[in-house]
């Protein structure tokens, strides 16, 4: 598969769970390409320990305890908070900084165990879910949730 020209920077700040970073990057590239994000767009991905994501969850979401993924949009396309139709192009032209994902592989590992699949598949799901949020997808309402989950399944294919 040729490189579509996205800039995806993964920073590993944890050592609890072995992570297939090239797989995460490829998953992110597929999502950005499928969602029509312009070439040159940048996404940062931080892989952190539960303590770090707990602090961020409290500070930014007002929720206590660790979570699996947090999305921090920067210049991302279509950040209206409403879900877009699958495949609808983002409302941005040219390279941009989409935003940052913070993922906790330890929480992902626990979620994967509960769901009965491997941690790599769970991390793929978190990358897809987080990127969709950066691109304006939401699950604040039942209709939005259904659309977003359907799009996640389309983007994941058979991975989960």
């Amino acid at each position: 598969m040729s490189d579509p020209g996205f800039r995806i920077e993964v920073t590993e700040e944890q050592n609890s769970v072995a992570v297939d970073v090239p797989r995460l990057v490829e998953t992110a590239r597929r999502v950005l390409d499928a969602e029509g994000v312009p070439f040159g767009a940048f996404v940062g991905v931080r892989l952190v320990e539960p303590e770090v994501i707990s602090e961020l969850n409290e500070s930014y979401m007002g929720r206590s305890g660790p979570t699996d993924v947090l999305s921090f949009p920067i210049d991302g396309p279509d950040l209206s908070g409403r879900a877009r139709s699958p495949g609808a192009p983002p409302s941005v032209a040219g390279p941009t900084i989409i935003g940052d994902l913070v993922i906790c592989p330890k929480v992902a590992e626990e979620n994967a165990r509960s769901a009965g699949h491997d941690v790599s598949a769970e991390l793929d799901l978190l990358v897809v879910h987080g990127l969709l949020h950066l691109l304006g997808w939401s699950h604040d309402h039942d209709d939005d949730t259904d659309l977003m989950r359907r799009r996640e399944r389309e983007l994941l294919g058979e991975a989960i």
Side-chain angles (χ1 to χ4, degrees), residues 29-51:
R29 287 175 201 250
R30 281 188 294 111
V31 171
L32 295 172
D33 189 40
E35 289 296 295
V37 173
F39 295 158
F42 174 85
V43 172
V45 180
R46 285 179 62 198
L47 303 173
V48 301
E49 296 289 355
E51 299 77 26

Side-chain angles (χ1 to χ4, degrees), residues 9-88:
E9 182 179 304
V10 178
T11 306
E12 183 115 27
E13 301 173 23
Q14 62 89 43
N15 56 16
S16 297
V17 176
V19 175
D20 183 349
V21 172
R23 177 177 169 153
L24 289 187
V25 170
E26 182 56 31
T27 298
R29 287 175 201 250
R30 281 188 294 111
V31 171
L32 295 172
D33 189 40
E35 289 296 295
V37 173
F39 295 158
F42 174 85
V43 172
V45 180
R46 285 179 62 198
L47 303 173
V48 301
E49 296 289 355
E51 299 77 26
V52 173
I53 207 159
S54 290
E55 290 174 17
L56 293 170
N57 199 24
E58 176 73 31
S59 295
Y60 292 95
M61 304 302 292
R63 299 181 185 132
S64 62
T67 189
D68 48 12
V69 63
L70 293 170
S71 300
F72 296 96
I74 298 175
D75 296 333
D78 200 27
L79 297 174
S80 63
R82 292 168 299 177
R84 291 187 293 113
S85 299

Side-chain angles (χ1 to χ4, degrees), residues 96-119:
T96 189
I97 300 172
I98 303 297
D100 292 316
L101 299 180
V102 180
I103 297 174
C104 183
K106 185 68 177 167
V107 173
E109 181 181 60
E110 294 163 7
N111 292 347
R113 191 175 305 118
S114 296
H117 53 255
D118 67 46
V119 70

